[in-house]
Amino acid sequence: MDRTNTVIAFVCQADKRKKLISSLKSKYPALRVIPVICIGKLNPVIIFRLLMKEARAVILVGCEPSDCHFREGVFFSERRFFLAKEVLKGFGLNDRLLNIIWSNPGKDALVLKQFETFMQYLKETQIEKGA
Amino acid sequence: MKTYQISKSQLKQLLEPYLTAETQLIAPSLNPLGLISFNKIQNINEIALNTSIPLKPSKSYLFPESSSLVQFDEKNPHLLESDISQKKQMLFGLRPCDLAAIAYMDSFFSSNISDHDYVQRRNNTLILGVACEYPSNACFCTSMGIQPGTSIHADIFLVPSGEDFLVEELSEKGQEYLASISKGWKEASNETLATQKNEITEKTSSKLIEKIDLSKIRGRLSETYNKDFWNKYSEACIVCGACTFDCPTCSCFDMNDSMISSSKGCRYRSWDSCSFADFTLHASSHNPRSSKLHRLRQRILHKFQYTVEKMDQWSCTGCGRCIRVCPVGINTRSILKDAKEALGE
Amino acid sequence: MDETQNKSLSYLLNPAHYFGGITFLFLLIQVFTGVFLFMNFIPYVSEAYQSLIYITNLLPYGFFLRTLHRYSAFGMIIMCILHMIRMYTTGRYLRPRDVGWVTGVVLLFITLLVTLTGFLSSFDGFSQLVLNGMADLFKIGRRDFQSLLSINYGLHLLFPILIFVFLITHFSRIARPKVFPSSSLSFIFIGIMIALSGLFPIAPLPDSPNLPSGDFSPMRLFIGIGIAFLLLVILALLPYITKQKRIYAFVDEARCTGCMYCSDVCPKKAITEKNITKNGQSFQVATVINSKCQGCGICVGACRSSVIQLENHKDEILLEEVRKVWIEQTL
Amino acid sequence: MINEIRDAIIQYLKSVMKENDVVLALRSSSTPGILTPCILRNKADLDQIEAGFFHLNNLAVYLSEFFQKENRLSTLQGYLYVLCKPCDTKAVTQMISDQQINPNKLKLVVYACEGMADMKKVKNEIGLDKDIKAIDLHLTELSLTLLDGSPLSIPVSKVISSKCLECNKEYHLTMSHVFVGDEKKWKSHPYSIATAENKVLLQDQKKGKDLFDQLKAELSACIRCNACRNVCHACFCSDRCIFDKPKMTVGFLDKEISPIDNILFHMIRFYHVAPNCTACGECERICPQGIPLSHLYEYFHRLMQESLDFSAGSSDSMRQAMLSYRLGEDLV
C-alpha cells in the first residue's frame, strides 16, 4: 500500500461521531481516522504537511459553526480552513483534497453521503499533485 | 606541465566528453529566473563566460544543500548506505576565487576526518578554472592575496587571450584528461601564458573598487571582540543566512532525521548557518549567541581569525558574494576596514 | 449501554437522549392535570375527602385525571433518576457542566417534596394517619389540623413554581437545550400514560376514609426526609469531589511572541496577556487561566509558531498518531 | 548631489530631536546603490541619512526589535523617529495591530516619495558583464560610472520599481507622524498607471497542474536562507518561528531542502502571512535566487481584499482577518 494515497480523516469527538466514521474503515482500506477534541484545534500547518507528504487527502468532520460545543470556536476555524484551501489553490494544488464536512447530531446520514461522494471522487481522479 | 593554445571551436572538443548521459557538465549559464548560475549544460553555446561570477557558487554540486546520508528501518535494522550519484562531473568556468574556495573546502572536508560524502563527489569531479576578466563591484580577491588571472587549485586552467584560450595543465588528472583529447592542439610557450596571465591580472585588479592591506591585522582580529564598530552592522543585520548560504567556503551543516513512518526514515544533512536562531541553541534553551551581534561577529571572526589560527589560511577568498547578496547592504570590506582602524593600523 | 442504544434506534427515537425532555413532559402533564384537580378540590378539613370522592366518582373522567396525575408523578421521578444516571455515566456532570448537575439535584429534591405534599393533601386514609401523627408532635388537637392541611396544600402549589425557577438555570447551562423530546417520542409516552391510567384507574373511594390501624410517628418521616436530603447533598457535591483529569492549554513563554491571536480566538476568554521580564526587558506573553480553560484547543489552531499546546495533545503527537495509525493498518 | 527631500528630513530631525531620542533611518553603505538601515543616537550623525530614490528597505521590520525581541532597546526613554516611505506606513500599522510595537513611543517621519529604484532593472540596463562603481540621481536621470570608469546615464522611468507605478499616493495613519515635503503637490499627480484591480496574476492565467509545475520549478531554486522570512514585517516571530523549533521538541517540519519541502515552507509562510501582508514586495526584492515571489503575495493580497474585504495595515485597531468572523458567511 503506497503510503501517499492514504486519506486521513480528523473527526471531532462530539456526539460519538468517531464511531460513525470509523465504521467506514472496513469499506475504504486507505482511510485513517484520528479523533481530535475539536477540529478547531487543527493547525492548517499540519494539514499542509500531511497533504504534501504523508497523505493524499485530508477530511475534517466537525460540528457546524452554529452548533459547536465551544460556541464561536469553529467560526474562526472556518475562516482558517477557507484560507488553507485558498493557499492550496494559490499553489496550484487541488483544494478539494482538503474536504471539510460540517455535521451535527441530526445529520449523520448526510455526513455519510458526503463521505461516500468524496471517496468516490478520489477514486476517479488519479494522483496529480506530483507529491 | 604542458600548455596548449586552442581556438573557440576546439573548446567544444575539450568539454564534449562530459555531455554524455552518465556524466554532467556544470557551467555558468542564464537560468530561467534570469540570473547567471551554475547549471547542468545541454549544449556548449549556453555557457556564459563573459559575465561576473554567478551569485550562487558551485558549492552545491560538491556539498549539496541536503543529502541523505543513511537510510534506516527499525523493523529490519540495517543501515542502507545512501547511494551518492556516481556521475562523473566537470565544473567549468570557475574563477580563481572559487578555485581557492574549493581548495579550502577540500582541506576542510578531507583533513584528519575525511567526509565520505564530499570526498566521493570530489573524486568524481574534474575542475576547469578560467581567468577572471569581469569582476563585480563587490570583489576584493586581491586583498585576500588571490590574483584574478592565475590559480594553482584547478585541474585545468584556461586563460583567454583574444579569441583563443591558453590551456594549462595543473594536476595529473587534468594532464591525463588532456592527453586523451588534445590531438592536434597547438602547444604554447610558458612565457606567453605568464604574460597573458599578468596582463589579465593587471586589467582586472585595476577594475576592483579597492584593495585593503590585511597583512598587518592577520590573526589579530580577535582583539576587536568588544569594539563598538560591530554595533553599526549588527543593528542593520536581519540574521537571514543568505550570506552564509551563498558563500563558497561556508561548510556548516545540520543533521536531522526525516521519518517516513514511525520506524522507517533517513538521516539527512542540510546546510545550516551561524545566523540562524537555533544554530547554537542548547537543550536548556540557553543560546550563547542569542543576539545578532554575536552571530555577525562569529561569521566574520570565523573567516578571518579562527581559520587563520587553526589552518593558517584565510577561509575567505574575496569573491564578494556576501556583499552582493546582503538585503541590507552589510559590506564585509567596510567591516575589515573598521577593524583595521580599530586596531590602530 | 449508550452505544447499543445508538445502534439500534435512530437518533430521534432513542429515549436515552431525551430523559431530561421526558421528565419535563411529565411535569407539564402534572401541571395540566393539576389545574383541573385544583378547580374541584377543597382543602378544608371537613370537605376535603368529600371533594375527593366527587372527583373520582362523579366528575366525568375525574378518576382518569387523578390516576394520570399520580402515574405521571411516578413517571417524572423515574425519568429524572434515569436522566441523572445517564448524565453521570457519560461524565457530563464534571466541571464546567457542574452547575447543570447541582440544579438537577435540587430539582429532584423539590420533586420528591411535591409528591410527598401531594399524597398528604389527598386526605385519604394514609394521609390522615400521617397528619394525626404530625398533630400529636406539634401538640395541637387531632381535630383541628386545618392549619397543617392548608400549609401542606400551599406547599404543593408553591413547589412547582420553584421547580420552574430552577429549570430556567438548568436549561440555560446547555448550549442548545433540547427541552422537548422529539415529537414522535412525546406522543409515545403520552400514549403510554393514557393507556396506563385508562386500564388501571384508581379504585373508587369508599364513603368514609378507612383509617389504618396503629400510629404513625412523624419522626420516621422527618428522619427519612433528612436522610434523603443528606444523600442529595453528597450527590450535588459529586463534581467537586471527583478528581478530574482536565486538559488545559499551556504557553511556552520562551517562544511566545505576544501577538495574542490565541486570546482573541478563545471561546471562553481564558487567555490573557501578562508581562514577564527577562534579563531586564519586559515582554508581553499569553497566559492561560486554568479555571476557565475547557481544553478545546482552538487557540492551538490559531497560534502561528505553535507555542500554545494542550497538555498531552501536542501537535507532534498528532503526527505520531498518523504514523501509528498507518502502522496498524499495514500489520 | 542635491536631494532636497533628504535635506528637508535632516533639517526637520535636527530641529525636533531631543537628548535621548533615537532615529531609525538609512545611510549609504559602501556597496553602490544599496542603503543600510542605521540607528542614530546623536545629532551629529544625522547628516549621514539618505532617502528618496534608493530608499528600498521597509524599516518596519526593525521596529519589533525595539519593543519585543531579545536584543532590543526597549529601555528607550525618549522617542523613536522612523523614516518611512508612505507605503511602509501600512506595515507599521499592521505591526501595531499585531501588538508587536507600542505606538506611543514611536513617531513616523513620512516624506513625499517619488518612487524607488529597482536594482534588477538597473542591472539589466548595464548588462551582465559590467558593474556599477558609483550611482547617483540627477532629477530624472540616473548617472552611473561603471567599473572600467565609463559613464552611463539611464532615465528614471526605465528603472523605477513596478510597485511604485501602481502607487495611488495616499496613506492613512492614526498614530503620531509628520509629513516632510509638500503633501498637496505630492498627492496631485499619482502614478497609478496599472491600477491594482485589473492586474492579471499568474493564478488567473494558469490553473491546477501547470500552475503547480511552474511554481515548483521556481521554488526549487530556493536555498531556504530565510531572507524572505526575516525581512517580512508580517512574519514577526522571526527567531521563534515554527521552522526553528529546537530539536528537543520534535519539530514536525523537517529542515530538508528539497522541492517538496521548499513548497511546504512557502505554503506555510504565506498561510501565516496572508492576513497581514501589505504587498510591500521586500521578499521578492531581496531573494538571492531571484524567485518571483510576487506571483504569490499578489494573489493572497488580492484574495484578502476581495473575499474577506480586509486590507492589511488599514487600521491599527482592527485585528487581522483570521481573528474575526461574520455570521452566515459559510466560506468553506
Side-chain angles (χ1 to χ4, degrees):
Chain A
M1 152 71 77
D2 166 21
R3 78 173 168 68
T4 54
N5 70 7
T6 54
V7 176
I8 295 177
F10 290 100
V11 183
C12 144
Q13 266 175 338
D15 305 338
K16 295 298 166 282
R17 213 162 281 134
K18 174 160 69 77
K19 293 289 175 303
L20 192 73
I21 304 289
S22 48
S23 63
L24 288 167
K25 235 187 241 177
S26 51
K27 225 167 135 202
Y28 301 103
L31 182 67
R32 311 274 176 269
V33 177
I34 295 176
V36 277
I37 301 167
C38 170
I39 56 169
K41 167 180 183 316
L42 262 178
N43 201 334
V45 167
I46 298 177
I47 295 174
F48 290 142
R49 177 201 155 111
L50 288 179
L51 274 179
M52 290 307 282
K53 287 199 167 167
E54 257 92 3
R56 174 161 176 238
V58 172
I59 303 173
L60 307 176
V61 182
C63 319
E64 240 173 2
S66 59
D67 175 31
C68 170
H69 283 239
F70 304 109
R71 288 195 173 75
E72 69 272 4
V74 188
F75 280 102
F76 294 115
S77 43
E78 182 185 15
R79 271 211 170 175
R80 255 182 261 140
F81 295 139
F82 163 73
L83 182 57
K85 276 171 101 82
E86 286 302 323
V87 166
L88 288 175
K89 226 185 278 180
F91 274 79
L93 291 163
N94 171 3
D95 74 326
R96 285 195 58 184
L97 293 181
L98 167 61
N99 186 359
I100 291 124
I101 301 174
W102 301 118
S103 89
N104 64 28
K107 285 205 300 197
D108 288 354
L110 186 62
V111 166
L112 288 184
K113 199 166 66 57
Q114 277 176 321
F115 222 90
E116 306 283 342
T117 46
F118 183 67
M119 298 305 268
Q120 216 48 40
Y121 164 75
L122 280 186
K123 275 203 179 61
E124 286 130 22
T125 58
Q126 24 74 17
I127 304 176
E128 90 279 327
K129 109 160 116 74
Chain B
M1 289 289 181
K2 292 205 286 299
T3 61
Y4 301 90
Q5 171 136 12
I6 59 166
S7 68
K8 244 188 186 333
S9 61
Q10 281 167 326
L11 181 69
K12 223 156 86 63
Q13 212 184 353
L14 176 68
L15 305 175
E16 207 72 50
Y18 274 84
L19 284 175
T20 59
E22 335 69 41
T23 60
Q24 58 181 6
L25 169 62
I26 315 280
S29 71
L30 197 62
N31 68 10
L33 298 176
L35 286 180
I36 293 288
S37 68
F38 282 100
N39 305 321
K40 197 164 178 309
I41 299 290
Q42 259 67 36
N43 64 55
I44 299 294
N45 37 38
E46 281 172 20
I47 298 178
L49 269 187
N50 43 25
T51 71
S52 52
I53 52 170
L55 200 51
K56 180 166 181 253
S58 64
K59 161 167 97 165
S60 56
Y61 291 96
L62 293 171
F63 167 53
E65 282 99 344
S66 75
S67 61
S68 81
L69 298 176
V70 146
Q71 268 135 20
F72 51 84
D73 187 350
E74 273 160 33
K75 276 212 274 316
N76 35 32
H78 67 280
L79 298 183
L80 309 145
E81 200 59 49
S82 78
D83 54 354
I84 298 163
S85 64
Q86 302 309 333
K87 262 194 169 150
K88 292 186 91 53
Q89 58 184 359
M90 169 194 276
L91 291 182
F92 177 72
L94 290 168
R95 306 302 159 56
C97 52
D98 281 344
L99 294 173
I102 289 186
Y104 166 78
M105 291 286 256
D106 289 353
S107 63
F108 177 83
F109 274 112
S110 50
S111 55
N112 34 26
I113 309 143
S114 91
D115 181 293
H116 172 70
D117 193 60
Y118 181 86
V119 166
Q120 200 162 13
R121 279 178 215 270
R122 181 68 180 79
N123 296 343
N124 289 341
T125 315
L126 186 74
I127 294 191
L128 269 75
V130 172
C132 174
E133 287 172 312
Y134 304 97
S136 74
N137 58 16
C139 289
F140 57 104
C141 53
T142 47
S143 331
M144 306 312 295
I146 293 168
Q147 277 104 15
T150 171
S151 172
I152 51 165
H153 302 297
D155 295 331
I156 298 166
F157 191 72
L158 279 79
V159 182
S161 67
E163 271 308 307
D164 305 348
F165 286 96
L166 296 170
V167 178
E168 177 196 9
E169 296 156 358
L170 291 170
S171 74
E172 298 77 22
K173 227 157 98 170
Q175 190 179 10
E176 191 190 292
Y177 175 69
L178 277 182
S180 65
I181 56 163
S182 64
K183 276 181 268 334
W185 279 7
K186 197 150 55 67
E187 297 239 350
S189 68
N190 288 352
E191 294 74 24
T192 53
L193 180 71
T195 50
Q196 186 58 22
K197 278 188 185 177
N198 294 344
E199 189 200 310
I200 289 181
T201 309
E202 256 70 37
K203 201 152 71 70
T204 322
S205 33
S206 69
K207 281 191 196 165
L208 295 189
I209 282 190
E210 62 185 336
K211 179 175 189 319
I212 318 162
D213 174 12
L214 297 173
S215 53
K216 288 203 188 58
I217 63 165
R218 176 186 167 96
R220 288 181 51 209
L221 228 62
S222 53
E223 294 153 30
T224 70
Y225 202 77
N226 299 323
K227 293 286 193 300
D228 58 7
F229 70 88
W230 292 107
N231 287 322
K232 191 167 71 151
Y233 300 102
S234 71
E235 273 154 7
C237 175
I238 53 168
V239 283
C240 63
C243 51
T244 52
F245 279 5
D246 269 349
C247 169
T249 58
C250 264
S251 50
C252 298
F253 56 84
D254 183 11
M255 304 273 278
N256 258 310
D257 292 350
S258 125
M259 300 300 292
I260 301 164
S261 69
S262 62
S263 72
K264 208 142 57 85
C266 84
R267 170 148 302 180
Y268 64 90
R269 140 169 108 173
S270 60
W271 286 357
D272 201 356
S273 153
C274 50
S275 319
F276 286 164
D278 63 346
F279 187 70
T280 51
L281 189 62
H282 293 180
S284 68
S285 86
H286 160 66
N287 189 346
R289 290 193 216 124
S290 55
S291 80
K292 306 197 284 188
L293 179 96
H294 299 141
R295 301 181 203 162
L296 176 72
R297 184 174 51 199
Q298 165 61 22
R299 181 173 70 84
I300 302 293
L301 288 188
H302 173 206
K303 296 252 180 270
F304 294 96
Q305 171 67 21
Y306 303 142
T307 39
V308 170
E309 282 162 9
K310 287 200 178 58
M311 301 157 78
D312 191 20
Q313 57 171 329
W314 308 102
S315 74
C316 164
T317 61
C319 67
R321 288 190 173 96
C322 55
I323 298 167
R324 285 166 60 190
V325 89
C326 179
V328 287
I330 293 174
N331 195 320
T332 319
R333 284 201 316 266
S334 55
I335 295 180
L336 289 175
K337 272 189 289 182
D338 286 357
K340 252 179 84 166
E341 197 190 300
L343 286 172
E345 289 314 316
Chain C
M1 187 267 287
D2 215 22
E3 279 70 22
T4 49
Q5 269 169 343
N6 268 353
K7 286 220 173 40
S8 54
L9 297 163
S10 95
Y11 202 82
L12 304 176
L13 292 178
N14 173 1
H17 286 277
Y18 289 97
F19 280 142
I22 299 162
T23 329
F24 187 65
L25 180 74
F26 282 128
L27 179 65
L28 294 184
I29 296 173
Q30 286 288 69
V31 169
F32 179 72
T33 50
V35 162
F36 285 103
L37 293 179
F38 172 77
M39 284 181 228
N40 303 310
F41 182 73
I42 304 127
Y44 295 134
V45 170
S46 53
E47 284 94 9
Y49 192 68
Q50 303 315 329
S51 62
L52 210 58
I53 292 169
Y54 166 73
I55 293 168
T56 24
N57 301 351
L58 303 173
L59 192 67
Y61 299 106
F63 71 92
F64 176 74
L65 280 181
R66 261 202 79 213
T67 41
L68 191 58
H69 197 66
R70 173 162 298 185
Y71 284 163
S72 61
F74 291 144
M76 190 169 154
I77 292 176
I78 293 162
M79 278 304 161
C80 194
I81 289 167
L82 281 177
H83 179 52
M84 286 184 112
I85 292 166
R86 180 160 184 281
M87 283 306 142
Y88 181 75
T89 51
T90 55
R92 292 254 183 83
Y93 66 101
L94 296 170
R95 212 198 311 271
R97 296 188 178 87
D98 50 349
V99 176
W101 173 264
V102 168
T103 46
V105 167
V106 168
L107 280 170
L108 178 62
F109 186 61
I110 298 173
T111 327
L112 290 177
L113 287 181
V114 169
T115 19
L116 182 66
T117 51
F119 275 110
L120 293 186
S121 59
S122 71
F123 212 56
D124 58 1
F126 169 72
S127 69
Q128 285 193 13
L129 184 77
V130 170
L131 287 177
N132 291 343
M134 278 213 211
D136 298 348
L137 184 67
F138 294 124
K139 305 287 182 295
I140 52 176
R142 280 212 171 184
R143 274 289 133 240
D144 56 4
F145 37 58
Q146 172 56 36
S147 56
L148 269 183
L149 190 62
S150 50
I151 291 168
N152 185 330
Y153 195 65
L155 284 180
H156 190 58
L157 299 179
L158 167 71
F159 281 141
I161 296 157
L162 256 184
I163 284 182
F164 277 102
V165 164
F166 275 101
L167 267 182
I168 291 164
T169 50
H170 193 64
F171 286 151
S172 71
R173 293 307 304 160
I174 310 166
R176 292 160 315 290
K178 299 194 270 287
V179 172
F180 292 104
S182 59
S183 50
S184 49
L185 214 58
S186 35
F187 284 135
I188 289 169
F189 272 91
I190 293 172
I192 294 170
M193 275 303 133
I194 291 165
L196 267 178
S197 43
L199 292 172
F200 311 99
I202 296 175
L205 290 171
D207 284 352
S208 70
N210 45 16
L211 285 171
S213 63
D215 249 349
F216 176 84
S217 78
M219 283 316 292
R220 270 192 299 147
L221 182 69
F222 284 120
I223 290 162
I225 291 175
I227 291 164
F229 181 75
L230 273 181
L231 274 179
L232 289 179
V233 161
I234 292 163
L235 211 59
L237 293 179
L238 214 56
Y240 307 102
I241 301 165
T242 52
K243 194 172 64 50
Q244 243 178 322
K245 188 174 69 54
R246 288 197 48 219
I247 306 164
Y248 306 118
F250 73 96
V251 178
D252 169 4
E253 273 160 10
R255 297 175 57 80
C256 174
T257 61
C259 58
M260 302 319 285
Y261 285 175
C262 46
S263 80
D264 283 22
V265 157
C266 174
K268 297 294 169 193
K269 298 292 166 277
I271 302 171
T272 56
E273 60 260 13
K274 144 179 123 173
N275 276 333
I276 59 170
T277 62
K278 199 163 80 173
N279 46 48
Q281 280 108 4
S282 83
F283 286 92
Q284 168 183 299
V285 281
T287 173
V288 180
I289 308 161
N290 280 356
S291 61
K292 283 191 180 159
C293 169
Q294 234 189 357
C296 61
I298 289 170
C299 50
V300 176
C303 178
R304 278 190 179 180
S305 42
S306 76
V307 155
I308 192 166
Q309 294 288 347
L310 292 185
E311 233 146 61
N312 37 29
H313 291 266
K314 286 196 164 165
D315 284 347
E316 290 80 21
I317 293 177
L318 203 62
L319 210 55
E320 276 314 308
E321 269 172 38
V322 169
R323 292 198 185 109
K324 187 155 60 63
V325 164
W326 160 245
I327 293 295
E328 276 152 24
Q329 297 309 319
T330 42
L331 289 190
Chain D
M1 192 288 291
I2 45 122
N3 178 343
E4 64 286 345
I5 274 292
R6 180 170 60 95
D7 306 340
I9 291 169
I10 294 175
Q11 197 255 331
Y12 164 75
L13 280 175
K14 278 212 166 104
S15 65
V16 86
M17 190 170 171
K18 286 197 219 41
E19 200 264 328
N20 44 30
D21 285 355
V22 172
V23 173
L24 171 64
L26 290 155
R27 68 171 154 225
S28 63
S29 76
S30 20
T31 28
I34 297 186
L35 301 181
T36 316
C38 59
I39 299 172
L40 308 170
R41 288 181 180 75
N42 39 47
K43 281 195 170 165
D45 312 343
L46 283 181
D47 299 328
Q48 305 166 0
I49 290 182
E50 294 286 338
F53 193 56
F54 295 105
H55 177 162
L56 313 177
N57 307 55
N58 179 352
L59 295 177
V61 77
Y62 293 93
L63 294 180
S64 53
E65 297 296 326
F66 282 92
F67 296 99
Q68 192 62 297
K69 289 289 177 339
E70 233 101 47
N71 41 28
R72 116 205 82 278
L73 305 149
S74 68
T75 53
L76 178 72
Q77 279 83 21
Y79 280 102
L80 169 67
Y81 292 89
V82 184
L83 184 65
C84 271
K85 304 198 289 287
C87 52
D88 298 343
T89 55
K90 276 194 279 184
V92 177
T93 328
Q94 186 53 45
M95 284 185 85
I96 293 170
S97 96
D98 279 341
Q99 303 190 0
Q100 291 300 305
I101 335 173
N102 61 18
N104 38 37
K105 277 192 175 174
L106 194 62
K107 279 195 173 11
L108 295 190
V109 179
V110 194
Y111 64 92
C113 158
E114 291 308 329
M116 68 178 194
D118 182 342
M119 294 315 280
K120 286 201 178 80
K121 289 183 182 167
V122 175
K123 274 279 181 348
N124 292 348
E125 290 295 318
I126 305 169
L128 291 170
D129 50 355
K130 296 194 224 19
D131 212 341
I132 319 162
K133 187 166 195 164
I135 186 167
D136 235 334
L137 176 70
H138 289 292
L139 299 173
T140 63
E141 285 291 322
L142 257 183
S143 65
L144 308 122
T145 51
L146 298 179
L147 273 184
D148 47 19
S150 60
L152 177 73
S153 83
I154 309 169
V156 162
S157 58
K158 264 192 166 162
V159 283
I160 194 161
S161 104
S162 52
K163 181 178 86 153
C164 301
L165 299 178
E166 291 147 19
C167 174
N168 40 33
K169 291 279 180 82
E170 78 202 13
Y171 71 99
H172 22 75
L173 264 179
T174 48
M175 53 175 292
S176 68
H177 70 283
V178 71
F179 190 89
V180 176
D182 179 350
E183 192 158 356
K184 263 185 295 309
K185 189 165 79 65
W186 174 66
K187 280 205 160 99
S188 60
H189 49 86
Y191 277 108
S192 71
I193 293 164
T195 51
E197 285 74 28
N198 47 36
K199 206 169 14 174
V200 178
L201 302 181
L202 174 70
Q203 276 77 2
D204 305 337
Q205 292 140 12
K206 292 191 171 175
K207 285 275 187 297
K209 185 86 179 68
D210 43 16
L211 171 65
F212 179 74
D213 289 345
Q214 172 171 353
L215 286 178
K216 184 173 176 185
E218 279 166 10
L219 289 176
S220 61
C222 169
I223 50 173
R224 297 282 295 283
C225 65
N226 289 336
C228 56
R229 183 194 71 181
N230 289 16
V231 87
C232 175
H233 69 93
C235 237
F236 46 75
C237 26
S238 69
D239 56 355
R240 303 157 189 206
C241 170
I242 196 169
F243 283 95
D244 285 348
K245 250 184 146 187
K247 303 289 176 303
M248 54 196 178
T249 66
V250 171
F252 54 83
L253 293 166
D254 301 340
K255 286 216 164 176
E256 217 169 337
I257 303 171
S258 69
I260 290 301
D261 282 281
N262 291 350
I263 291 177
L264 187 60
F265 170 78
H266 287 279
M267 223 193 237
I268 292 173
R269 202 180 92 72
F270 275 107
Y271 164 72
H272 281 161
V273 143
N276 18 23
C277 161
T278 57
C280 64
E282 279 285 84
C283 51
E284 183 180 38
R285 174 180 75 81
I286 61 148
C287 174
Q289 294 292 91
I291 298 172
L293 286 169
S294 65
H295 290 168
L296 292 165
Y297 70 71
E298 293 288 355
Y299 173 73
F300 291 115
H301 191 66
R302 189 183 67 178
L303 167 82
M304 278 296 138
Q305 259 155 1
E306 269 165 14
S307 48
L308 300 176
D309 65 56
F310 172 86
S311 75
S314 50
S315 91
D316 55 17
S317 55
M318 201 175 73
R319 292 282 270 173
Q320 52 122 323
M322 286 299 128
L323 301 178
S324 56
Y325 61 90
R326 281 197 304 275
L327 284 178
E329 65 189 348
D330 48 42
L331 296 160
V332 169

